[in-house]
Amino acid sequence: MTIDSAIYDQIRDTTRRFADDVVRPVAVELDRTEAFPAEIYRQMGELGLFGITVPSELGGAGLDTLAYAIVMEELSRGYASVADQCGVVELIGTLLTRYGTPEQQQRHLPDILAARVRIAYCLTEAEAGSDLSNVKTTAKPTAEGWLLNGGKLWIHNAPVADLGFVLASTEPQAGHRGMSIFIVDLHAEGVTRGAKEHKMGQRASQVGGLTFDNVLVPKDALLGEMNRGFHIMMSVLEKGRVGIGALAVGIAQAGLEAALAYARERRQFGKPILENQGLQWMLADMAKDIAAGRALVERAAGMIDRGASATSAASIAKCFASDMAVAQTANAVQIFGGSGYIQGVEVERLYRDAKITQIYEGTNQIQRTIIARELIKHGA
C-alpha cells in the first residue's frame, strides 16, 4: 500500500486538533477522577480513529501502521489514557481482520469500530505476564461449545468492557502450543469483574481483574485455529510495540511543549529562565531524543508495512521511546521546579503517565533480551 505523504499530514493535523480541542481540556479531570472517557471514546469512533489499519471494506480506515503510529502519538500528546483506547481497538481489529471468520467480522467489527462496544485484550495472569506460556485459564470442550475457567488481572478496560478476547489453555500439557483465543461476552453468567485498580499514571485507562467460573462460550467464539492462540497473539506484538513507542513519544512531546512555554514565562534574577544556557541544553536534549524516538517508531512502522521482519526494530523503538519518555518528562518536571511537583500540573501527570510505557507490551528488560537475541541470530 502506498499512501501519499499529504495523507499522513492530514491524519496528524486532524488528530492533533481533536487532542487539543477535546482531549487536553479534560485530561486533568480524567486523571483526578479515574473515569472512563466515555464521551471521548464515542467521538473517536465517529471520527474514524479506531481501526486505522482495518481494511475499509470491513469498516476501518484502510491505512497503514505508520498512520496508526501518528494517531497514537497525537492522541497521547493530549492524554495517554485516550491513546490506550485506540491501541486496544487497533490490536483487536487486527486480530479480527487476520483471523476472524466473515461471520465474526460482521458481528463484531462494526460495533467495535463505531465505539458502540468496549473491548478488553485478556492475556495477563498472576504467573503469566512476560511469560504468557504459563497461562492457567482453561477452556474445555462441551456439546454446546466451551467451558471457560480461570482468572485474568491488570486487564485494560476490564471494569467497563463488553467483550473480551481471552487467551486460554485448550491443551494444558502442550504449553504455549496448546492455547486458543475466545471472544467472550463479559456480561455472561459466570463472569465476575474484580475491583478497579488505582494506578500511578494513565489513570483514566481503567484496569482490573476478570474471573471466569464455568462460563459457557459458544463454538463459534473460537478466534482462528484451535491451539494457535499464542502464535496469533504474538503476531500482533510488533504493531503493539510500535503503538506504545508512539504513545511514549507523544507523552514526551507534550512535556517538551509545556517546559518550553513555562521557560518563556518564568522569570528569575530579572530574566526569563529560558535565557539560561543550562536550561537551553536540557530543552535541546529533549528535542533531539524525541526526534530520535519518533524516527525509530516510524522506521519500525515502515518495516511492518513493507512486510519485513520488524521484531528487533519494534523492540528498539518501544524500548528507546519509553526510556526516553520517562527521562525527558523528568526533565520537564525539573524545568518547572517546585511547581512541577504539584498535582494538577501537566508535567507531573506526564511523568506518571510515562512510567508504564517501560512495563506494558513487554517490559524493557524483555525488549533488550529480544534485541540481543536478534543480534546473535542475524548479526549487527
Side-chain angles (χ1 to χ4, degrees):
M1 180 196 309
T2 301
I3 297 178
D4 190 283
S5 61
I7 299 296
Y8 294 123
D9 293 338
Q10 181 181 352
I11 292 166
R12 189 178 293 278
D13 290 345
T14 299
T15 312
R16 176 166 289 202
R17 284 197 302 272
F18 179 77
D20 283 341
D21 296 345
V22 178
V23 179
R24 295 187 89 165
V26 297
V28 171
E29 182 66 8
L30 288 172
D31 179 71
R32 185 185 68 80
T33 62
E34 305 180 30
F36 179 82
E39 177 58 21
I40 292 174
Y41 193 78
R42 182 189 64 78
Q43 291 182 57
M44 289 168 70
E46 290 180 350
L47 196 58
L49 294 177
F50 288 149
I52 300 298
T53 68
V54 172
S56 55
E57 59 268 24
L58 293 178
L63 297 169
D64 60 12
T65 311
L66 178 54
Y68 166 58
I70 290 170
V71 169
M72 286 292 283
E73 179 186 337
E74 293 301 331
L75 287 176
S76 180
R77 179 181 157 273
Y79 185 24
S81 288
V82 171
D84 262 344
Q85 296 301 325
C86 180
V88 172
V89 172
E90 182 63 33
L91 294 189
I92 295 301
T94 300
L95 289 176
L96 281 167
T97 298
R98 292 182 184 174
Y99 306 104
T101 64
E103 292 75 20
Q104 288 172 336
Q105 292 168 349
Q106 293 166 15
R107 186 185 313 144
H108 299 301
L109 277 173
D111 285 339
I112 290 172
L113 300 184
R116 292 188 291 267
V117 166
R118 301 170 186 175
I119 53 177
Y121 194 48
C122 307
L123 307 182
T124 305
E125 299 182 5
E127 297 182 13
S130 295
D131 180 16
L132 279 181
S133 65
N134 205 32
V135 162
K136 303 299 185 188
T137 297
T138 61
K140 295 183 178 180
T142 70
E144 294 81 18
W146 307 83
L147 275 183
L148 191 65
N149 283 281
K152 302 290 182 177
L153 78 168
W154 303 330
I155 303 302
H156 277 96
N157 284 352
V160 297
D162 303 298
L163 207 59
F165 287 70
V166 181
L167 184 65
S169 177
T170 38
E171 284 190 22
Q173 69 279 8
H176 72 276
R177 293 183 176 86
M179 296 181 183
S180 305
I181 301 171
F182 297 90
I183 306 172
V184 180
D185 177 2
L186 296 182
H187 302 290
E189 184 178 355
V191 179
T192 304
R193 301 172 199 257
K196 180 178 75 175
E197 303 286 356
H198 299 286
K199 301 184 297 174
M200 180 173 83
Q202 297 192 27
R203 289 156 60 89
S205 180
Q206 296 191 4
V207 167
L210 292 166
T211 302
F212 307 103
D213 183 10
N214 284 330
V215 177
L216 181 60
V217 179
K219 290 180 180 179
D220 62 0
L222 176 67
L223 180 67
E225 294 181 43
M226 183 176 169
N227 295 332
R228 293 284 288 168
F230 183 84
H231 168 79
I232 291 170
M233 288 293 192
M234 293 297 106
S235 73
V236 298
L237 278 185
E238 290 177 4
K239 180 185 283 187
R241 286 165 182 162
V242 166
I244 298 306
L247 180 148
V249 170
I251 293 173
Q253 179 66 34
L256 172 60
E257 292 172 11
L260 181 60
Y262 183 80
R264 285 195 172 111
E265 297 171 359
R266 175 68 168 163
R267 297 180 67 86
Q268 289 286 277
F269 305 104
K271 63 181 181 180
I273 62 173
L274 185 61
E275 295 183 17
N276 296 319
Q277 187 180 59
L279 188 144
Q280 292 174 7
W281 286 359
M282 290 176 70
L283 291 168
D285 281 341
M286 294 175 75
K288 71 177 178 60
D289 284 1
I290 291 168
R294 183 178 294 117
L296 288 171
V297 168
E298 291 179 354
R299 170 177 171 263
M303 292 175 71
I304 293 173
D305 291 333
R306 293 194 303 273
S309 173
T311 301
S312 180
S315 288
I316 288 171
K318 189 269 184 187
C319 188
F320 179 89
S322 55
D323 284 348
M324 176 275 295
V326 171
Q328 298 307 346
T329 52
N331 278 335
V333 171
Q334 191 72 20
I335 288 169
F336 269 70
S339 62
Y341 202 65
I342 303 301
Q343 287 186 358
V345 175
E346 184 180 24
V347 293
E348 183 268 344
R349 173 179 57 79
L350 293 171
Y351 185 35
R352 290 186 285 107
D353 287 347
K355 179 58 191 175
I356 190 62
T357 65
Q358 294 178 308
I359 299 171
Y360 62 7
E361 210 70 32
T363 67
N364 280 5
Q365 287 68 37
I366 290 292
Q367 304 312 314
R368 287 174 169 87
T369 298
I370 293 169
I371 295 163
R373 184 186 66 205
E374 292 296 299
L375 279 172
I376 293 166
K377 186 185 301 183
H378 302 294

